[in-house]
Amino acid sequence: MDQRATGTAAVLRLLDALVARADSSWGVRELSESTGLSRSTANRTLQALASFDLAQQWDDERYALGPRMEVLGHELWRSHPALAAADGALDRARRQIGGTVFLSVEDRGGRTCTVLSSREATSPLRYVIRPGTTLPTHAGAAGLAILSQLPEEQWSFDAERPTERTLEVPARAALLGEARRQGYVVSVGQNFPDAAGVAVALELAPGVTASVSRSRPSWDFEDADVPEIVASLRKAAEAIARAGGGPHPDASASAPRAARTHIDKVVALLEMLVRTPTVPVTHARLKEQGVGRVACASLLSAAQESGLVIEGGGGWLPGPTLFRWVARAGRSLVPEVLSRPVLRALESETHETAGLSLIGDDGVLTTRASITSRRTVQYVLPLGEPVPLEVGAIGKAVLAFRPELLSSPRPGGAGEERRAVPGPLEQELAEIRERGYAVAEGERIPQAYGVAAPVRINGIVQGSVGLTIPRSRVDRSRSTDYGDLVRAAAARLSALLTV
């Protein structure tokens, strides 16, 4: 056991292990043995990761990957031009040539690759491959196309043969050489006995090799179709690679932070990588986030060793490990799901119904998630129901910071007309802004007492977290306590959903 690994290296090892079991959990002892860290280091680091929502502790005291990684993954997929172009490119290829078309990226070391995105065939009998799936590079078209672009000294390694048709090292080297010359790979039954695949390689990002593949059942594969398949896959690969080579956005500075701990430094690095993935991370940019010169060198060295970053463009760019983490963690970003631990904790603390309301693309505030009180008399918040802005704590907590939402369509469809906030309400909204939360009694729901605080995503109020309590059991001496609790819950959700 390598108990000397501490600091940044320990953080990255534990994150990698949690990502590997993104759909399940670990005990501290298991994680310690798997990562080679001492139990005390593993336990201490896991607790720190949980404070950033990068890990979460379940009721049985086991740890799982936290919801923050999904938020980071969503941001990387949105902001990385090659990833943003991938889904459309894969869809077009699938419509042209049928089968299941997917994008894979190399893993650190080059012996495996990870599926980033997949568009499944529409036929009743289809080849199914999920994002986050790990594939070998020595068998199957997706992996072989990637391996063919890596240095030749990485081609010859002993590995388990998934099927009888998997090539041995000499024949594999010959196939890889041919693939490099002709620019594509055909593989029938090498990784899965009943699957046939064709793949072409591309550079997903500087120094990161990927492949676009088409697979379908082997009995439905004809050699005569290969030229058409290759042409379509090349168009998809070119579209993805061309998008990745587009203009770099400005590296707009985020709010400075005091990066005191190893977790702070890793979080600062992760947020830079996903926010502006085509802009190299430099010592100067890390210094803006409070990472000192010596700490910068240590952080980037550990990140490069783990494959989280690669050197390029005068700094460091996202490496294969980050792409793998994103694929495994998912990128759906459903606030209703991500908010449940926060709402559950709020309900557990108060024994009252806790809810999240968010502004939709149409500008309407609706209830999106709730944890109902377990008491006999309880308020149930209907999901999807519009919430008025001028009545009740949930709406006022938003309106106090977003008065422009008080608008109505002008006659004849000529845009929107801003409604003035009535004087008495404006005074109340000013008080809400000052104390940071709203309080209302019986305004929206008869016999209900509500307390709510605004949720900010990337600095903009996008909703609110609130408690709804029967007036008959409200302890008004605790009104400040209720306010502090919803503010804390809103702050945690804001931090979780902001990049």
Side-chain angles (χ1 to χ4, degrees):
M1 180 181 292
D2 180 12
Q3 298 188 1
R4 296 170 298 173
T6 57
T8 303
V11 173
L12 296 176
R13 282 194 197 182
L14 285 170
L15 273 176
D16 200 52
L18 291 170
V19 168
R21 285 194 190 178
D23 53 356
S24 60
S25 63
W26 294 80
V28 175
R29 182 176 180 179
E30 284 181 284
L31 275 168
S32 171
E33 293 172 352
S34 175
T35 59
L37 302 173
S38 69
R39 290 184 67 177
S40 60
T41 297
N43 190 53
R44 184 172 62 252
T45 307
L46 285 165
Q47 290 177 7
L49 286 170
S51 70
F52 284 90
D53 285 313
L54 286 167
Q56 55 184 328
Q57 190 173 22
W58 291 1
D59 292 339
D60 59 3
E61 299 189 350
R62 294 171 65 83
Y63 281 90
L65 186 66
R68 180 65 175 169
M69 190 60 74
E70 185 173 338
V71 176
L72 296 174
H74 179 271
E75 180 65 17
L76 179 64
W77 206 272
R78 185 197 66 79
S79 60
H80 197 295
L83 296 183
D87 289 346
L90 298 180
D91 272 330
R92 290 190 292 273
R94 181 188 60 178
R95 288 195 297 269
Q96 291 170 358
I97 57 178
T100 294
V101 181
F102 57 99
L103 173 67
S104 306
V105 64
E106 66 169 306
D107 291 336
R108 176 175 170 266
R111 296 194 178 191
T112 58
C113 61
T114 298
V115 178
L116 278 178
S117 182
S118 175
R119 289 296 181 266
E120 290 182 8
T122 56
S123 56
L125 189 61
R126 68 190 71 172
Y127 179 85
V128 177
I129 190 80
R130 306 293 189 200
T133 300
T134 299
L135 299 172
T137 54
H138 69 281
L144 288 167
I146 289 172
L147 189 58
S148 72
Q149 302 304 304
L150 302 182
E152 291 187 23
E153 55 267 25
Q154 293 184 238
W155 291 2
S156 300
F157 57 89
D158 293 325
E160 181 181 349
R161 300 176 64 207
T163 76
E164 292 182 356
R165 302 183 71 174
T166 304
L167 299 179
E168 300 282 6
V169 171
R172 183 202 310 157
L175 174 65
L176 292 170
E178 182 182 3
R180 178 177 286 185
R181 289 190 298 273
Q182 64 188 12
Y184 68 88
V185 174
V186 176
S187 171
V188 180
Q190 287 196 43
N191 189 30
F192 299 104
D194 297 325
V198 182
V200 300
L202 70 144
E203 189 175 61
L204 181 68
V208 179
T209 303
S211 69
V212 176
S213 316
R214 183 267 221 174
S215 292
R216 66 190 312 163
S218 56
W219 57 82
D220 197 23
F221 174 78
E222 298 289 343
D223 289 336
D225 296 333
V226 170
E228 180 188 0
I229 296 169
V230 170
S232 184
L233 293 178
R234 280 178 173 158
K235 285 183 182 179
E238 288 166 4
I240 296 169
R242 185 168 56 248
H248 292 177
D250 294 332
S252 54
S254 55
R257 71 171 80 212
R260 298 186 179 90
T261 69
H262 295 292
I263 302 287
D264 290 326
K265 298 178 181 72
V266 169
V267 168
L269 176 60
L270 284 171
E271 290 180 355
M272 282 186 187
L273 291 171
V274 303
R275 191 186 299 117
T276 52
T278 58
V279 179
V281 173
T282 61
H283 286 256
R285 291 183 64 197
L286 284 169
K287 186 177 179 181
E288 291 174 357
Q289 298 301 306
V291 183
R293 182 176 59 84
V294 175
C296 271
S298 174
L299 171 65
L300 291 169
S301 175
Q304 190 168 5
E305 174 65 23
S306 72
L308 184 66
V309 300
I310 58 173
E311 202 165 355
W316 287 264
L317 295 164
T321 295
L322 181 61
F323 291 110
R324 176 168 55 82
W325 285 3
V326 167
R328 293 284 295 166
R331 55 183 170 102
S332 57
L333 189 62
V334 181
E336 297 93 317
V337 176
L338 298 179
S339 67
R340 291 190 71 82
V342 177
L343 298 180
R344 188 176 292 110
L346 184 58
E347 186 277 332
S348 179
E349 178 78 17
T350 62
H351 306 293
E352 303 295 353
T353 296
L356 169 69
S357 298
L358 293 173
I359 302 168
D361 294 337
D362 56 1
V364 176
L365 183 69
T366 58
T367 302
R368 301 281 289 275
S370 72
I371 300 293
T372 303
S373 169
R374 288 166 287 182
R375 293 185 174 184
T376 304
V377 177
Q378 57 186 221
Y379 272 106
V380 177
L381 299 176
L383 300 184
E385 184 174 281
V387 178
L389 294 171
E390 299 165 85
V391 180
I394 293 172
K396 288 178 179 177
V398 174
L399 184 61
F401 300 89
R402 297 286 303 275
E404 76 278 6
L405 293 174
L406 269 188
S407 58
S408 58
R410 289 177 176 170
E416 292 185 337
E417 183 177 12
R418 174 83 174 272
R419 286 187 288 143
V421 177
L425 177 58
E426 176 53 46
Q427 177 61 36
E428 183 182 357
L429 297 181
E431 293 172 0
I432 292 170
R433 287 191 291 271
E434 182 176 352
R435 68 172 173 258
Y437 61 90
V439 178
E441 288 196 49
E443 292 185 9
R444 177 173 165 240
I445 304 174
Q447 300 303 315
Y449 177 95
V451 186
V455 172
R456 293 173 171 84
I457 302 177
N458 294 323
I460 300 172
V461 171
Q462 299 286 11
S464 64
V465 170
L467 287 169
T468 305
I469 310 168
R471 292 172 73 179
S472 60
R473 71 171 175 251
V474 170
D475 181 354
R476 285 167 179 75
S477 67
R478 290 194 61 199
S479 60
T480 302
D481 293 340
Y482 293 139
D484 289 343
L485 288 170
V486 295
R487 280 200 309 171
R492 184 180 171 191
L493 266 180
S494 299
L496 172 63
L497 298 173
T498 292
V499 177

